[in-house]
């Protein structure tokens, strides 16, 4: 069976490539999406890669993943540090979640060190740029294989 994986990106990640490249690198979000699609193919997974600047839209997408998806990779961006609504949605769907960040949130301002998303995540991968997403797909493939 092909697992469907939902990869969600939060606010301002549509500006990757132009936005603070010293922190987030020069990859565009589109480029990361293509790399994730290719990685998914090698792992026998169908990847659905999306971005929204709106908290409510991310919550709605997480809720709808309960039907038909096997796991979630989530870079909630700034909402990681603020959103109880996203945490509650992740808890409601009961799917394996891997939290990712491009930057190492533990090396930056102290307000980035706390993430609500982490409380619902099986694992957290940060600081490795686009590679954070690809490693998250590897991790999910293994977790789903073991189920
Ligand atoms: C981020 C880290 C967050 O603190 C920040 O608000 C982002 C991006 C990352 O991928 O490094 O927008 O999630």
């Amino acid at each position: 069976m092909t697992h469907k994986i939902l990869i969600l990106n939060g606010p301002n990640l549509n500006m990757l490539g132009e936005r603070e490249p010293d922190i987030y690198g020069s990859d565009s979000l589109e480029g990361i999406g293509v790399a994730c699609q290719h990685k998914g193919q090698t792992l026998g997974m169908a990847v659905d890669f999306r971005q929204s600047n709106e908290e409510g839209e991310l919550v709605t997408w997480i809720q709808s993943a309960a039907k038909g998806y096997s796991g979630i990779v989530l870079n909630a961006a700034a909402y990681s540090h603020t959103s109880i609504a996203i945490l509650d949605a992740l808890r409601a769907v009961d799917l394996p979640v891997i939290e990712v960040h491009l930057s190492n949130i533990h090396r930056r301002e102290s307000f980035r060190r706390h993430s609500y998303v982490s409380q619902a995540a099986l694992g957290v991968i940060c600081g490795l740029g686009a590679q954070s997403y690809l490693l998250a797909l590897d991790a999910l493939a293994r977790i789903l294989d073991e189920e």
Side-chain angles (χ1 to χ4, degrees):
M1 170 191 149
T2 303
H3 288 294
K4 273 176 77 179
I5 306 299
L6 185 59
I7 305 187
L8 293 184
N9 295 280
N12 299 305
L13 292 173
N14 54 311
M15 295 189 69
L16 281 183
E18 299 156 45
R19 174 193 181 204
E20 299 183 272
D22 45 320
I23 296 174
Y24 297 114
S26 55
D27 290 335
S28 66
L29 190 66
E30 203 187 356
I32 295 174
V34 169
C36 287
Q37 303 286 358
H38 289 156
K39 181 74 177 176
Q41 278 165 16
T42 67
L43 295 168
M45 292 166 148
V47 166
D48 184 354
F49 190 90
R50 304 184 199 175
Q51 188 272 337
S52 178
N53 289 326
E54 287 165 31
E55 185 178 20
E57 187 160 43
L58 292 163
V59 166
T60 301
W61 284 344
I62 291 166
Q63 289 177 4
S64 60
K67 289 205 184 84
Y69 288 83
S70 304
I72 297 175
V73 175
L74 176 59
N75 184 353
Y79 289 141
S80 315
H81 317 300
T82 62
S83 180
I84 297 169
I86 288 177
L87 170 61
D88 285 349
L90 292 170
R91 285 187 169 150
V93 299
D94 195 27
L95 288 171
V97 177
I98 309 292
E99 175 180 3
V100 298
H101 299 279
L102 295 147
S103 65
N104 181 349
I105 56 174
H106 302 287
R107 274 179 85 159
R108 301 182 61 195
E109 302 97 324
S110 57
F111 61 80
R112 294 187 202 275
R113 284 187 204 132
H114 176 264
S115 164
Y116 285 102
V117 169
S118 296
Q119 295 184 37
L122 284 178
V124 182
I125 303 171
C126 74
L128 303 172
Q131 187 72 6
S132 296
Y133 289 74
L134 305 180
L135 291 171
L137 287 173
D138 273 330
L140 266 184
R142 186 166 290 213
I143 288 160
L144 294 170
D145 259 10
E146 283 168 4
E147 266 180 5

